Amino acid sequence: MQTTSLALHTDKYQINMMYAHWVNGTHKRKAVFEAYFRKLPFGNGYAVFAGLERIVSYISHLRFTMDDIKFLSKQEENYDPVFLEELLQFSFHGTIHSMKEGAIVFPDEPLIRVEGSIMETQLVETAILNFMNYQTLIATKASRIKQVAQQDTLLEFGTRRAQEADAAIWGARASYVAGFHATSNMLAGERFGIPTAGTHAHSWVQSFMSEQEAFDVYAKVLPDQVTLLVDTFDTLNSGVPHAIKTAKWLESQGKKMKGIRLDSGDLAYLSIQARQMLDEAGLDYVKIVASNDLDENTIFDLKAQGARINTWGVGTQLITASDQPSLGGVYKLVEREVDGEMQPTIKISANPEKVSTPGKKEVFRIIDPKHGKAIADYICYPGEEQPLQGGPLKLFNPLHPYLKKTVTRYEAVNMLEPIFVNGRKVYELPSLDEIRAYHREQMNLFWPEYQRKLNPEIYRVNISPAAWNMKQKLIAEHVKSTEE
C-alpha cells in the first residue's frame, strides 16, 4: 500500500547499471523501453491491463530519501559519494505512455512505453513490472470468472490468503476493475470506494449454545444485512431449517433475510436442496451464496450441474492466481541514443519468441465500423501515416507472414495514452467506476469467440511492414556480424 519512498523498490542491478552509466558519463543518454508480456495467462484469449494508478503514484513520488542514501552508502559496491548526492536530487523527467486501465490487451504489444535518460528509465523498470504484472494477472483471472458467472454477483474474499497486505488491497481493486461487485476487505473499500460485503464465520455459530440462537442474535443486531452461514454442523438437517426460522422471525418484524451461505460439501447438491427448502417455506427471495476455493473452473462445473447459486465468494484461487501465479511481463530497450540520434535496437535470443521488435512503437486497435468489433491490433512506428489516414492496411502474422489480409474500411484507435510528458503528469486518473465502465466497453468490442473460457480464438496482433522490415534488417546484421 506504500506509495512514497519507493526509490529502492528496485533490483540491485538497476542501481549498479545506473552507477556504471554515471561513471562512464553515459547516464544522460536517451533511451526508450517498452513493457509487454509474451504469453496470455490461464490459456485465456485476452488479458486485462491493470496497475496504472499505482504506477502513476509511484512515478509522482519517486525520490531518494536520506535513509535510502545511507543504505546505499553501506553497499559493497562502494558507490562514489558524488553519485549518491546526485541521487538525492533525483526526480523523474521522462515521458510515459500507457494503455488505459481496464483495456483488453494481448501478447507482444507495448502496454507501457517509457522514454527518458538511460538512468531514469532503468531505475523504474522493476517497480513498473511489479505493479503491472500482478494487477494485470489478477484482473485477467477476475475477468475469466466474470465470463463464467455472467450476471451472478461476485464477491472478492481473498485477503487472508493473499501474499501480504499489498496483494490483498491491489488485488481487490484489480478484481473490481474486471467486474467483481464487492470485496470483503475493508481497507480496499475505504481506499478505493469498492463496495464491501461479508457474512459471519463458523466461530460465530460455535460461540453460542445453539445454532438457532446464533442466527437469531445476528438477525436482531443486523436485521437488514442477514446472510447466514448454514454449514457449521449439518447444512440440510440443521443449518437451513434454523435459517428458515430466523427468516420467518425477520418477516414478522417487517424485514427480509438476504441469503444463506454454503462453504463446504457438494455445493451443487446442497444448493439445489436448500433452494427447494427455502421456496417451500415461501422464501424465494432469499439468495444462496457459495464460497470454498472457487474459481472459473469450479463455477463452470457447478453451473453445468444445475447449482442454484446466486452469489459467488471467490478467494484463494483468485487473489493468488493459483493456476498461474505470474504474468511474465518484460521491459525491453527498443531505442537508444547514438551520437545524438535515436536508433532502434533489438534483443536477439535463441528462443524466437524472445526476439524483440525494435523501435519506439504505437498500438492501434483496428475496428470494423459495420459491426463495431475489433479486427486486430496494429503495431507501427509513430511517424507512419497509416493507419491514421485510413488507407488500405496490410495485416500479416509476424510469426507466419504468409497469413495475411488487407482491410480498407476501419476505424483506428490509438491505445497508448500520454501519462507523463517530460516529467509532468498530463493524465487525469479516472475514477474506479469509470475504469469499470471502460473495461465493459472494451469487452463489447470483441466477439465471444475471443472471450470464451475454453479454446478461445486467437486475436490478430500485427506489426507494420516498416517495423517488420526493421526487425529483419537488424537480425540480418547480427547474423552477419557473428559470421565474420
Side-chain angles (χ1 to χ4, degrees):
M1 293 168 289
Q2 183 182 15
T3 53
T4 57
S5 302
L6 286 180
L8 292 186
H9 183 47
T10 189
D11 293 302
K12 190 172 191 178
Y13 78 167
Q14 310 287 17
I15 302 293
N16 285 346
M17 286 188 289
M18 291 166 62
Y19 182 59
H21 273 300
W22 182 83
V23 171
N24 192 48
T26 53
H27 59 295
K28 293 184 179 180
R29 287 183 182 174
K30 299 299 182 184
V32 181
F33 284 83
E34 291 175 348
Y36 58 96
F37 61 90
R38 298 188 179 106
K39 185 179 179 181
L40 285 164
F42 317 113
N44 209 41
Y46 63 91
V48 180
F49 176 67
L52 179 60
E53 182 172 317
R54 193 163 200 205
I55 290 170
V56 169
S57 180
Y58 160 73
I59 295 293
S60 298
H61 296 92
L62 186 53
R63 303 286 190 280
F64 286 89
T65 66
M66 185 58 72
D67 286 340
D68 295 336
I69 300 305
K70 288 179 180 178
F71 176 76
L72 289 172
S73 70
K74 298 175 183 177
Q75 300 303 299
E76 61 185 358
E77 285 78 5
N78 193 27
Y79 303 117
D80 189 319
V82 178
F83 169 71
L84 298 181
E85 183 63 31
E86 284 196 24
L87 291 186
L88 266 180
Q89 311 305 316
F90 177 90
S91 62
F92 185 82
H93 289 94
T95 295
I96 295 178
H97 288 73
S98 175
M99 297 280 189
K100 294 163 65 174
E101 281 200 281
I104 302 302
V105 295
F106 300 93
D108 299 315
E109 59 185 20
L111 307 184
I112 301 171
R113 189 176 75 219
V114 183
E115 306 170 57
S117 70
I118 188 66
M119 193 156 127
E120 61 189 342
T121 53
Q122 203 77 71
L123 174 64
V124 300
E125 171 183 356
T126 301
I128 284 177
L129 286 178
N130 177 213
F131 303 146
M132 178 193 89
N133 279 338
Y134 176 69
Q135 293 192 49
T136 298
L137 184 74
I138 301 305
T140 305
K141 182 72 169 177
S143 184
R144 278 173 64 78
I145 295 169
K146 174 68 175 175
Q147 289 298 100
V148 171
Q150 293 297 313
Q151 302 305 313
D152 296 345
T153 300
L154 289 168
L155 311 177
E156 185 278 311
F157 278 179
T159 295
R160 63 190 60 195
R161 303 289 171 77
Q163 285 90 343
E164 255 285 358
D166 272 13
I169 301 303
W170 292 99
R173 183 184 180 279
S175 302
Y176 190 68
V177 164
F180 269 59
H181 299 91
T183 178
S184 64
N185 189 292
M186 297 300 286
L187 186 54
E190 177 192 40
R191 180 161 185 174
F192 301 122
I194 302 172
T196 57
T199 58
H200 62 76
H202 293 106
S203 60
W204 171 263
V205 177
Q206 293 173 268
S207 65
F208 289 86
M209 294 302 295
S210 71
E211 187 175 51
Q212 189 68 69
E213 181 187 6
F215 287 176
D216 289 346
V217 170
Y218 192 83
K220 289 174 183 176
V221 174
L222 295 167
D224 297 310
Q225 302 293 328
V226 182
T227 297
L228 300 174
L229 182 58
V230 296
D231 70 338
T232 303
F233 303 118
D234 186 318
T235 300
L236 299 180
N237 293 316
S238 173
V240 176
H242 289 149
I244 289 172
K245 290 182 180 179
T246 300
K248 290 298 184 181
W249 176 83
L250 280 168
E251 286 185 340
S252 72
Q253 305 300 305
K255 303 288 185 179
K256 287 187 175 182
M257 190 166 77
K258 293 182 67 175
I260 62 169
R261 178 160 73 99
L262 306 172
D263 189 51
S264 61
D266 186 333
L267 295 179
Y269 172 76
L270 292 174
S271 67
I272 292 169
Q273 296 302 311
R275 180 76 272 156
Q276 182 177 343
M277 294 167 69
L278 291 168
D279 289 350
E280 290 175 352
L283 302 171
D284 58 336
Y285 58 84
V286 174
K287 306 296 185 183
I288 298 179
V289 182
S291 51
N292 188 27
D293 279 346
L294 300 174
D295 65 4
E296 69 272 30
N297 300 309
T298 51
I299 294 173
F300 182 86
D301 290 344
L302 286 166
K303 282 180 168 289
Q305 296 169 49
R308 302 294 302 278
I309 295 167
N310 312 103
T311 300
W312 307 88
V314 187
T316 305
Q317 307 300 318
L318 168 63
I319 206 70
T320 64
S322 62
D323 48 341
Q324 185 175 327
S326 66
L327 179 65
V330 295
Y331 183 90
K332 296 300 177 184
L333 179 67
V334 296
E335 203 167 278
R336 64 194 179 100
E337 183 181 4
V338 179
D339 297 328
E341 299 289 333
M342 297 302 292
Q343 293 186 4
T345 183
I346 191 170
K347 176 189 180 294
I348 302 292
S349 173
N351 300 107
E353 69 277 5
K354 290 189 174 183
V355 177
S356 63
T357 299
K360 179 172 75 173
K361 297 174 289 296
E362 301 284 1
V363 181
F364 288 90
R365 185 141 296 160
I366 307 303
I367 299 170
D368 175 3
K370 180 179 178 180
H371 299 101
K373 298 294 184 183
I375 302 170
D377 280 10
Y378 188 78
I379 301 172
C380 62
Y381 294 139
E384 295 189 55
E385 292 182 354
Q386 291 175 311
L388 284 176
Q389 292 191 351
L393 201 62
K394 182 180 179 182
L395 305 177
F396 65 92
N397 187 308
L399 295 179
H400 308 287
Y402 65 90
L403 296 175
K404 56 188 176 182
K405 67 181 291 188
T406 300
V407 295
T408 55
R409 295 184 66 252
Y410 59 87
E411 297 173 3
V413 178
N414 195 334
M415 297 297 291
L416 291 174
E417 295 274 341
I419 309 299
F420 290 89
V421 175
N422 297 325
R424 183 173 65 89
K425 185 168 77 74
V426 297
Y427 181 72
E428 188 68 32
L429 286 169
S431 70
L432 200 49
D433 284 334
E434 287 172 333
I435 294 171
R436 277 166 60 87
Y438 174 69
H439 173 65
R440 287 194 296 270
E441 292 172 5
Q442 285 279 289
M443 291 294 285
N444 290 335
L445 279 179
F446 292 87
W447 295 104
E449 288 80 2
Y450 300 115
Q451 301 180 25
R452 63 191 177 212
K453 174 177 170 289
L454 297 174
N455 301 316
E457 181 66 28
I458 297 173
Y459 181 74
R460 287 174 173 267
V461 176
N462 304 105
I463 63 175
S464 71
W468 167 260
N469 291 334
M470 177 60 70
K471 186 172 186 176
Q472 301 312 306
K473 175 178 178 289
L474 294 185
I475 291 173
E477 289 176 356
H478 169 76
V479 171
K480 182 179 179 181
S481 69
T482 58
E483 291 176 343
E484 293 177 348

